[in-house]
Amino acid sequence: PDDRWVEPVANAFNMHAGLEPVLKPMTPVAEIAIIDPATTLRHWAPEKRPQAELNDLGFYQALVEARLPFEFLSDQVMTAAALKRFKVVILANATCLSDAQCQALRDYVAAGGSVVAAHETSLNDEKGKARADFGLGDIFGVTMTSPPRGPVKNSYVALNGDHPIAQGFGGTERIIGGTQLIAVEPTTKVDLPFLTVPDFPDLPMEEVYPRLPPQGAGVVARTTDAGGRVVYIPWNIGEVFWTYLAPDQGRVIANAVKWALGKAPEVEISGQGVFDVALHESEAGRALCLLNLTNPMMMKGPLRETYAVGPLTVTIDVPAGRLLANVRLVVAGQDVPFSAKDGRVTVELASIETMEVVHLVWS
């Protein structure tokens, strides 16, 4: 005898009924893919799987906060053809990769694709056997000089120069580093936006000070011969961000992905709030889905209440050769004014409660 469930379920189905005609003929067109490391995860016992996924969760959180549309792609179907439609591929901690999987990534980079990778990615083969060095070392532009170690305490990385990945940290010369570290050295021309601060004791208090100046690669960035960009982070940045949610690590991830993208993202949103952003496309138009996650427990799942956000300014790329006829807010059920300039359309949204879909219709 509890009818409280009826209204929210009816509301959800009604929203889906309104969205389906718009989204059903479309396909996702995100420029960014996070590789789901199935080959790595199958080596973990089910009860320990949450520990293995911490790095992926950290990158997920960082990209959501950065309002970047992205998709997941299983490494089981990670062929060069499957990777081709993405501009940036993210390997948060794909420890186990076969030679064939590494070659698919190598072919993708050779064709101009960009990669952001971290920690132990490609150190083991698909059977979990350790390699002597990274399977993707030629892509990362580094070689391993010391194997993974940790947990490490008092770990920091220091800003180094004015590289875009090191922007936005005004007021500090260093940020928290990893609890699991790998020592690497460049094998080709690279930039080092961050240097490692050699770790030091955390107790007793009088011993808590750095012994040596920043040295060694904390973040590695390079431009490939094919015009793509590669970022390698030799520590567990995703896990650290997910565990502590200190904004600096999220900014490093977002900066790295945006730099690897090499251009303005296809979608830019200004205004307060946290959104899961997805971009879909068909021959008839584009649809930007904005799911409002603005809630203290947004990653837990069940929400007691949704917090409406707005106003927002949304800018979306218009593909070359397309002429825009009108813009409609599907959930609100209304056409809205827009402005178009330099191949991008800008729309103002007064408010979003749960979700809105900005539908661009081609003429």
Side-chain angles (χ1 to χ4, degrees):
D2 188 343
D3 293 334
R4 291 175 295 181
W5 63 271
V6 177
E7 182 179 359
V9 171
N11 290 342
F13 276 109
N14 285 333
M15 179 180 289
H16 280 282
L19 297 178
E20 185 175 20
V22 173
L23 296 179
K24 185 177 180 180
M26 294 187 170
T27 55
V29 288
E31 299 177 293
I32 301 165
I34 295 180
I35 299 302
D36 178 31
T39 305
T40 300
L41 295 177
R42 71 187 183 192
H43 293 287
W44 287 75
E47 66 273 14
K48 295 183 178 179
R49 186 71 59 82
Q51 177 67 29
E53 294 175 326
L54 294 178
N55 285 284
D56 301 286
L57 288 169
F59 273 80
Y60 186 109
Q61 174 84 25
L63 265 60
V64 167
E65 290 190 14
R67 301 168 173 178
L68 293 171
F70 65 95
E71 297 175 33
F72 277 96
L73 179 71
S74 171
D75 67 7
Q76 300 297 290
V77 293
M78 189 179 62
T79 62
L83 294 171
K84 184 178 179 180
R85 67 186 182 92
F86 300 105
K87 294 188 180 298
V88 179
V89 170
I90 296 171
L91 301 148
N93 190 34
T95 306
C96 301
L97 292 172
S98 68
D99 289 344
Q101 289 170 324
C102 289
Q103 187 58 48
L105 288 160
R106 199 170 285 112
D107 293 343
Y108 166 73
V109 171
S114 297
V115 170
V116 175
H119 199 32
E120 298 179 344
T121 293
S122 79
L123 275 182
N124 294 356
D125 67 17
E126 74 278 15
K127 297 180 180 178
K129 182 180 178 181
R131 292 186 169 101
D133 206 340
F134 298 103
L136 296 173
D138 54 334
I139 291 179
F140 300 162
V142 300
T143 184
M144 180 175 65
T145 58
S146 181
R149 64 184 179 91
V152 175
K153 299 180 179 180
N154 281 333
S155 172
Y156 297 90
V157 291
L159 281 73
N160 183 43
D162 58 358
H163 194 281
I165 297 177
Q167 297 298 308
F169 300 90
T172 185
E173 296 179 3
R174 66 181 186 178
I175 64 172
I176 295 171
T179 58
Q180 304 285 335
L181 309 180
I182 302 174
V184 299
E185 287 185 357
T187 56
T188 187
K189 182 181 179 181
V190 300
D191 293 319
L192 299 176
F194 288 85
L195 297 175
T196 297
V197 177
D199 52 286
F200 47 91
D202 67 321
L203 287 174
M205 291 174 56
E206 58 269 19
E207 295 294 327
V208 182
Y209 61 90
R211 270 57 173 181
L212 297 169
Q215 53 191 270
V219 174
V220 180
R222 61 179 289 258
T223 300
T224 69
D225 293 339
R229 294 175 173 183
V230 176
V231 181
Y232 172 66
I233 303 169
W235 45 284
N236 57 334
I237 186 171
E239 178 182 355
V240 170
F241 180 52
W242 178 256
T243 302
Y244 303 107
L245 288 180
D248 287 340
Q249 289 70 42
R251 184 180 295 275
V252 172
I253 293 172
N255 285 356
V257 174
K258 289 177 179 179
W259 180 78
L261 196 57
K263 65 179 192 62
E266 285 199 311
V267 175
E268 294 181 301
I269 303 166
S270 60
Q272 292 187 318
V274 183
F275 312 95
D276 193 320
V277 183
L279 188 62
H280 301 254
E281 188 175 79
S282 70
E283 285 298 313
R286 276 190 156 186
L288 175 67
C289 299
L290 298 173
L291 179 64
N292 181 15
L293 297 179
T294 309
N295 189 287
M297 298 299 289
M298 64 180 184
M299 290 299 183
K300 186 174 178 62
L303 301 181
R304 298 182 188 272
E305 182 181 0
T306 55
Y307 303 155
V309 296
L312 302 172
T313 300
V314 176
T315 303
I316 309 171
D317 260 0
V318 175
R322 298 294 189 181
L323 295 177
L324 189 58
N326 75 294
V327 178
R328 184 169 182 81
L329 303 184
V330 180
V331 176
Q334 63 185 41
D335 293 344
V336 290
F338 63 88
S339 61
K341 183 179 179 181
D342 299 328
R344 295 171 75 85
V345 59
T346 299
V347 180
E348 303 292 336
L349 279 66
S351 178
I352 297 178
E353 182 176 354
T354 302
M355 184 177 184
E356 188 54 87
V357 175
V358 183
H359 186 198
L360 311 185
V361 181
W362 311 139
S363 58

